[in-house]
Amino acid sequence: MDDIHYREYKILLRPERFFDPHQFEVYWHKLGLIAPEFKVGVATNKDGFKRHVREVLFYDTPDYNLYRHAFILRKRTFYTDGWPDPEHELTFKFRHADFDTAAGIDVTPHLSGTANIKFKEELLPLKDSLGGMRSLYSHNCVLLSPGLILDEGLERISRVFPAIGERCDSHNDDKVSLVNNLPVEEVQVNVGSFDFGHGLIAKATIAVWRDRATESSIIGEFAFQAKFDRYDQLHAKARTRSEEFFKAIQNEAPEWVQLGTTKTSLVYNFGKQLAESHE
């Protein structure tokens, strides 16, 4: 439960850069020019620029009880040829900058069905400067089309995810609704992969989030994620190469980078109420 099996490197991208679909390719080409400097192998998927559309919805109480305590409740619906798929994905997440705090949270649901539980380290740029790196630790539970009505109230959701009741100021009458009434349209390309040597390979994606109501871009993101069996067995040279590449992307393509925290934080701060964050 508390062994890290994923390392995901994320960089927020300026939304104004995505003024047309070709910009996915423009940014990927730029990354391909940086990679050889660090002896990083680059592979582009055959359908790497096929755009996948999803709807992303965040749910919380009016005073952000979940997010203030480092929880994230997200529903994601996938679309095929413009139509929503019959199944959706529900993610319950605890994300915190302290490893021990994140590792100690049990996100196992009290609900029938298969739960995919992941513990990952997320690498982000520094909040206020380029070329750095910081970590968040994320304990995730992903459920496929669970029979949980998200606007039933926090007390009902807490019965499914007991970790909420252990940390939050839960009250029986707490209502849960769509955060800032903001439905997010996510357009993502599963563009390719990076090879850092010694068996460390990471899948890369580029995505842009838009306000579904206005079709205006909120934020972009570039990410690459590596999966492994044991964190302590990561080869030192490969790990260092991945981190140096991550820092170089920020410094050598600064016109693309949006400093800040996370996509989730932007959604929470989209309205008039500022959100306290552990991110």
Side-chain angles (χ1 to χ4, degrees), residues 141-243:
C141 172
V142 181
L143 300 167
L144 190 62
S145 297
L148 177 63
I149 306 302
L150 295 177
D151 58 3
E152 284 183 332
L154 190 59
E155 193 267 340
R156 161 62 178 153
I157 295 172
S158 297
R159 292 204 299 267
V160 175
F161 299 106
I164 294 174
E166 296 169 5
R167 291 185 61 90
C168 290
D169 315 315
S170 181
H171 303 287
N172 290 340
D173 58 350
D174 279 351
K175 302 300 182 184
V176 173
S177 60
L178 184 63
V179 172
N180 284 321
N181 198 30
L182 177 62
V184 173
E185 180 183 70
E186 178 185 57
V187 181
Q188 177 174 297
V189 293
N190 303 319
V191 62
S193 61
F194 298 112
D195 188 343
F196 299 103
H198 305 281
L200 186 63
I201 297 175
K203 296 180 180 179
T205 61
I206 306 171
V208 60
W209 279 20
R210 298 197 297 237
D211 179 347
R212 183 177 284 277
T214 64
E215 290 297 332
S216 58
S217 296
I218 300 170
I219 195 65
E221 184 183 72
F222 164 65
F224 56 96
Q225 177 174 271
K227 183 181 179 181
F228 40 82
D229 293 328
R230 290 180 58 88
Y231 188 83
D232 57 6
Q233 290 183 351
L234 283 177
H235 196 281
K237 288 185 177 180
R239 174 174 171 164
T240 299
R241 185 176 290 130
S242 68
E243 293 173 356

Side-chain angles (χ1 to χ4, degrees), residues 10-188:
K10 298 180 175 182
I11 296 176
L12 294 180
L13 303 176
R14 294 180 180 275
E16 63 269 20
R17 302 295 308 193
F18 294 92
F19 51 83
D20 69 41
H22 181 61
Q23 292 302 103
F24 289 111
E25 297 178 59
V26 171
Y27 186 64
W28 183 246
H29 175 72
K30 186 174 286 285
L31 298 179
L33 298 178
I34 299 171
E37 302 175 31
F38 298 87
K39 298 181 180 179
V40 175
V42 181
T44 304
N45 292 336
K46 181 180 179 181
D47 297 319
F49 296 103
K50 179 181 179 181
R51 294 179 291 281
H52 303 270
V53 178
R54 310 170 227 198
E55 180 183 61
V56 184
L57 308 175
F58 292 89
Y59 288 87
D60 208 331
T61 62
D63 64 347
Y64 301 157
N65 199 349
L66 291 175
Y67 191 62
R68 286 189 291 106
H69 293 90
F71 291 111
I72 297 168
L73 186 62
R74 182 188 72 203
K75 177 183 176 183
R76 187 157 59 185
T77 302
F78 299 82
Y79 281 71
T80 302
D81 295 330
W83 295 94
D85 292 350
E87 295 184 325
H88 68 270
E89 177 186 274
L90 181 68
T91 298
F92 175 63
K93 177 184 300 189
F94 182 85
R95 184 160 60 191
H96 202 281
D98 181 70
F99 170 85
D100 290 330
T101 301
I105 299 297
D106 185 358
V107 295
T108 304
H110 289 191
L111 194 70
S112 60
T114 301
N116 187 10
I117 295 178
K118 303 177 181 179
F119 190 34
K120 63 169 68 174
E121 180 184 14
E122 298 181 12
L123 286 304
L124 309 176
L126 300 178
K127 294 181 181 181
D128 54 4
S129 61
L130 296 172
M133 186 177 70
R134 65 188 184 94
S135 293
L136 292 175
Y137 299 95
S138 176
H139 231 145
N140 301 356
C141 172
V142 181
L143 300 167
L144 190 62
S145 297
L148 177 63
I149 306 302
L150 295 177
D151 58 3
E152 284 183 332
L154 190 59
E155 193 267 340
R156 161 62 178 153
I157 295 172
S158 297
R159 292 204 299 267
V160 175
F161 299 106
I164 294 174
E166 296 169 5
R167 291 185 61 90
C168 290
D169 315 315
S170 181
H171 303 287
N172 290 340
D173 58 350
D174 279 351
K175 302 300 182 184
V176 173
S177 60
L178 184 63
V179 172
N180 284 321
N181 198 30
L182 177 62
V184 173
E185 180 183 70
E186 178 185 57
V187 181
Q188 177 174 297

